[in-house]
Amino acid sequence: MSFFDEKGRLRMKLRSSSVVYIKSEANYVNVFYVEWGKLKHFMLRTTMKSLESECLVHGLFRCHRSYYVNPKRITSLHRENSKVMYAEMKAPEPHQVPVAVTYYESLAEIC
């Protein structure tokens, strides 16, 4: 996967299999990935919308307005109540990523 900043400059290239999830934070995104057995992250000034086509091509799934996940790294989906749902992500340490109600059923079908 290729990650470009808001000015179109290539900032990082990763194998899509190493990406665990991508999280939006205001005008930035944090790409969480595994390298040499450790979870690392890279902050990039761009928007989730600008990453959409790259994520779709490489099999990442939008599970929340602020998150893309790699479905191959999901170990389980669970609900805490009718409005709070999470995907448990397989990385060196387990991580929980929120899943919006509107995306839950679609994500459950591909996991």
Side-chain angles (χ1 to χ4, degrees):
M1 291 183 71
S2 299
F3 294 94
F4 296 88
D5 65 14
E6 64 182 356
K7 296 181 180 177
R9 294 179 297 211
L10 180 64
R11 304 299 291 170
M12 174 180 248
K13 282 188 101 156
L14 294 169
R15 287 178 300 140
S16 58
S17 61
S18 68
V19 176
V20 179
Y21 64 95
I22 298 172
K23 179 182 179 186
S24 171
E25 296 179 24
N27 294 328
Y28 295 88
V29 296
N30 264 310
V31 179
F32 290 84
Y33 62 98
V34 176
E35 182 177 79
W36 299 102
K38 294 186 179 190
L39 185 66
K40 297 188 174 191
H41 70 92
F42 179 78
M43 186 177 273
L44 178 68
R45 186 169 174 94
T46 193
T47 63
M48 293 292 273
K49 182 69 177 166
S50 67
L51 294 177
E52 187 173 30
S53 63
E54 185 76 5
C55 287
L56 289 174
V57 166
H58 292 283
L60 272 67
F61 185 86
R62 186 116 187 214
C63 67
H64 187 278
R65 69 184 183 114
S66 299
Y67 288 88
Y68 281 105
V69 293
N70 184 343
K72 294 176 182 172
R73 291 196 169 265
I74 294 175
T75 57
S76 66
L77 292 172
H78 62 277
R79 293 177 184 242
E80 289 197 6
N81 59 46
S82 64
K83 293 184 181 178
V84 180
M85 295 166 267
Y86 293 98
E88 189 79 29
M89 304 304 296
K90 178 174 53 176
E93 310 87 33
H95 287 270
Q96 286 189 340
V97 173
V99 177
V101 174
T102 56
Y103 297 106
Y104 187 83
E105 292 300 322
S106 299
L107 186 57
E109 286 178 14
I110 62 172
C111 288

